[in-house]
Amino acid sequence: MSHRNSRLLALGLNHNTAPVAIREQVNFTTAMQINACQQLIQEGLAEEAVIVSTCNRTELYVVSEAENDLSLVAWLGRYHQLDPTTLNDYLYHYSQQQVVRHLLRVASGLDSMVLGEPQILGQLKSAYALAKEHQTTGKLLSKLFEHGFAVAKQVRTDTAIGSSPVSVAFAAVRLAQQIFGQFDTSTALLIGAGETIELAARHLRENGLKRMVVANRTLERARLLAKEFAGYAITLEEIPDHLAEADIVIASTASPEPVLLFEQVQNALKARKRRPIFIVDIAVPRDVEGRVGELKDVYLYTVDDLNEVIQENLRSRAQAALQAEEIIDTQVVHFMDWWHSLSAVDTICRLRDHATDIRNDLVNKAKRMLNNGKPAHEVIEHLAHQLTNTLLHAPCVQLRQAGSDKRDDLVLSARHLFRLPEND
């Protein structure tokens, strides 16, 4: 596929542009990502497509011949059964070089709620692997994402952007510390068993938490995580039986519906005799029913509420971020140079094919001359003469015409192209 007329487009919203209530409405599950990318291509809205969807962002990266992303905005609304105009205030739009810069910044953690956090890189890799597996990505997006991964690695190696352990999970634990002080007598209920929950478990343990319960849809996965941190594993259905034990609840599942309900928390508070529960809901869509926050003796925080805590961690990474931006500036130029070079590839291929056809034709004629008894040295000289004349005939005709038309630029280009020496 030629990319001569293709454009890079990106459309998305994130924690900076949209609240969690909006983000969860345009969230894509893994199955939806596959279906949506295929739909974009089948409907002619994209030649290549990758969809990135996390708790903090949903982004569409496409290669398209369209001049802008208006059709993508309309499609996004249709797909999620939303009025596209309700999304307009929350969306950002990038094209061409802007897309390259944005992806490199996202991959390097410069566009994250927690500056420099590494989780987004893994999420980008998963989204790209999914698109690649289902053949919705091609030469341009493959090169872009792989370039992004390489740049992210360079940023981590060459700057101190990842030197301090900050993440949404770390911010959640830090907030719990502000409320409870010490963790040595606290019990934590972790709902989910993914990377964010694992990070939270690690931070809790490092800060002195002794007792941990891990709830997950798959009990075996919960057991694996609980075993690592000397915890106890349960299923999601068993949460009501253990909720009253929990001082700290951190939830991050991929469930489309809340897994922690108002009545469950209300009953747990009665059993706890008004001892408070600290709950952090990191998931999008939300894992905790919104009304839970209305309960007295419940401290409920969503990912957006963590922003204030996270600000403390930004200062140490500010200088590193400036260095990272310099790396990205250079790498954007490198990618664009590669992309621009593609415009010459088609011409190079045609030139090679043309020369190969001439060579094969003349070699076949030379073989016939040899078979007819012509001396080898005559055949070689004839072949060389014919090959030179045939290859140079069209360029020479065009250059003579350029001279007649006073096209000095074309003549100078030919000197440069063929590396001809200057006249004495």
Side-chain angles (χ1 to χ4, degrees), residues 372-387:
N372 290 334
K374 285 280 186 181
H377 69 276
E378 285 186 24
V379 174
I380 291 171
E381 286 186 9
H382 180 78
L383 173 62
H385 179 74
Q386 286 291 101
L387 189 59

Side-chain angles (χ1 to χ4, degrees), residues 15-27:
H15 59 281
N16 287 322
T17 68
V20 65
I22 296 295
R23 298 202 303 274
E24 64 187 1
Q25 290 184 65
V26 293
N27 186 261

Side-chain angles (χ1 to χ4, degrees), residues 86-103:
T86 64
L87 296 175
N88 285 340
D89 291 342
Y90 306 106
L91 292 170
Y92 42 81
H93 312 258
Y94 298 118
S95 65
Q96 303 294 78
Q97 188 168 322
Q98 295 173 326
V99 179
V100 181
R101 180 177 301 282
H102 179 69
L103 182 70

Side-chain angles (χ1 to χ4, degrees), residues 25-28 32 58 75-82:
Q25 290 184 65
V26 293
N27 186 261
F28 289 84
M32 289 167 72
T58 290
W75 174 87
L76 184 63
R78 285 198 311 275
Y79 194 90
H80 287 288
Q81 298 179 325
L82 298 169

Side-chain angles (χ1 to χ4, degrees), residues 215-263:
N216 192 52
R217 194 173 304 282
T218 307
L219 186 59
E220 185 56 37
R221 180 75 186 97
R223 281 176 178 156
L224 284 172
L225 187 58
K227 183 180 178 183
E228 185 177 350
F229 297 99
Y232 180 70
I234 62 173
T235 64
L236 296 183
E237 289 73 25
E238 295 176 275
I239 287 176
D241 299 329
H242 295 268
L243 188 56
E245 305 167 31
D247 304 295
I248 301 163
V249 178
I250 301 178
S252 179
T253 77
S255 173
E257 302 293 335
V259 296
L260 196 59
L261 304 179
F262 179 85
E263 288 183 7

